[in-house]
Amino acid sequence: MPGSPSGDAVLRVVLELLESGGHDAVQIREVVRRAHVSPLTIYKLFPSRDELVVAALQQWLTVNSCAPLAPPAPGESLYDGLMRVFRHVFEPWERNPRILEAYHRARNGPGGRKLDQQAMGAIEPVARAILVGGDPTYIDDIGLILTNMAYAVVGQFANGELDITAILPALERAVFRLTTNNEPAATQARRARHSLYPTSPAQLDRQDPTDPGESRR
């Protein structure tokens, strides 16, 4: 188990493999060879390969993306506070993209709930402190949108659809839109639409193009 000399040696090797080769690089035979332990020792400490990977990722998260995060400073804006949390979480992953890929795969496998619980346990108290005093519905909406957005961009990265360096900018755009006054942009779009389509789409839909008298009404 973590904390024992053998367990620490095993987890250290697993993290090295994850960082250099990703999730698929973690093979028990290679861990045995590098950690100088027997397969029996590994399976006594970690009953399955999945549990071994999850334990190694938990250890990595503890000192990286889930390391202690300072509470909001007086006067910190909502935008600055939320982005501080996202940078705290994702900048270590930017430097270790294979760890993020392994995290994505492990959290969707056996034992992955432990990773979610660890991440939420580290981040949620600070995020709640940043949002304290806000309208409860607004706070819930921000949490729902940003949580799903974060999981979505991580999934896109893991599937090769998004570069690791594009994750934080995407999240920053979402945070900006959720914390700024969008009414001027919405009003401009509405006015531009009206200038292009003086007749509303609903009215156009109701018109019958087969009725020759429709155009005269």
Side-chain angles (χ1 to χ4, degrees), residues 2 11-12 14-16 18-19 52-68 87-103 115 118 164:
L11 293 181
R12 186 165 55 249
V14 172
L15 283 174
E16 290 172 358
L18 289 173
E19 289 171 347
L52 176 59
V53 171
V54 167
L57 289 171
Q58 285 183 294
Q59 188 178 83
W60 187 91
L61 289 171
T62 298
V63 296
N64 289 281
S65 296
C66 293
R87 291 189 186 100
H88 179 83
V89 172
F90 281 94
E91 283 179 351
W93 275 329
E94 278 193 357
R95 297 188 292 269
N96 299 274
R98 290 188 182 276
I99 294 288
L100 179 55
E101 182 182 4
Y103 172 86
L115 298 174
Q118 181 179 6
I164 186 71

Side-chain angles (χ1 to χ4, degrees), residues 186-196:
T187 299
Q188 181 181 0
R190 186 167 59 249
R191 288 172 177 168
R193 182 186 64 212
H194 181 70
S195 67
L196 292 172

Side-chain angles (χ1 to χ4, degrees), residues 20 30 37 41 54 66 74 76 82 122 126 131 178 181 186 201 205 208 213:
S20 62
E30 184 63 14
V37 297
T41 297
V54 167
C66 293
E76 183 178 54
L82 290 172
V126 178
L131 295 164
L178 288 170
N181 178 13
D205 289 342
D208 184 357

Side-chain angles (χ1 to χ4, degrees), residues 1-209:
M1 61 186 302
S4 67
S6 295
D8 289 342
V10 167
L11 293 181
R12 186 165 55 249
V13 167
V14 172
L15 283 174
E16 290 172 358
L17 292 169
L18 289 173
E19 289 171 347
S20 62
H23 193 277
D24 291 337
V26 180
Q27 302 298 325
I28 298 300
R29 284 181 296 180
E30 184 63 14
V31 176
V32 166
R33 187 183 70 82
R34 293 193 185 197
H36 306 291
V37 297
S38 70
L40 181 60
T41 297
I42 292 179
Y43 285 116
K44 281 183 177 179
L45 298 170
F46 310 100
S48 70
R49 178 181 177 276
D50 290 320
E51 291 188 47
L52 176 59
V53 171
V54 167
L57 289 171
Q58 285 183 294
Q59 188 178 83
W60 187 91
L61 289 171
T62 298
V63 296
N64 289 281
S65 296
C66 293
L69 182 60
E76 183 178 54
S77 70
L78 183 56
Y79 168 85
D80 287 337
L82 290 172
M83 283 311 304
R84 181 167 60 88
V85 172
F86 275 131
R87 291 189 186 100
H88 179 83
V89 172
F90 281 94
E91 283 179 351
W93 275 329
E94 278 193 357
R95 297 188 292 269
N96 299 274
R98 290 188 182 276
I99 294 288
L100 179 55
E101 182 182 4
Y103 172 86
H104 174 74
R105 290 181 60 177
R107 72 170 292 269
N108 289 302
R113 184 172 177 80
K114 295 179 182 178
L115 298 174
D116 281 343
Q117 290 172 338
Q118 181 179 6
M120 294 306 296
I123 297 166
E124 189 171 8
V126 178
R128 287 286 174 182
I130 292 168
L131 295 164
V132 70
D135 175 76
T137 302
Y138 175 67
I139 292 173
D140 288 344
D141 287 347
I142 282 186
L144 177 65
I145 293 168
L146 291 181
T147 298
N148 282 285
M149 177 76 176
Y151 285 139
V153 293
V154 168
Q156 286 182 305
F157 160 73
N159 292 332
E161 301 166 359
L162 190 69
D163 189 79
I164 186 71
T165 58
I167 290 178
L168 274 173
L171 292 171
E172 187 171 13
R173 290 173 63 185
V175 171
F176 175 76
R177 286 301 175 189
L178 288 170
T179 59
T180 195
N181 178 13
N182 291 293
E183 186 57 32
T187 299
Q188 181 181 0
R190 186 167 59 249
R191 288 172 177 168
R193 182 186 64 212
H194 181 70
S195 67
L196 292 172
Y197 306 105
T199 303
S200 72
Q203 289 175 317
L204 290 173
D205 289 342
R206 286 197 297 269
Q207 291 181 358
D208 184 357

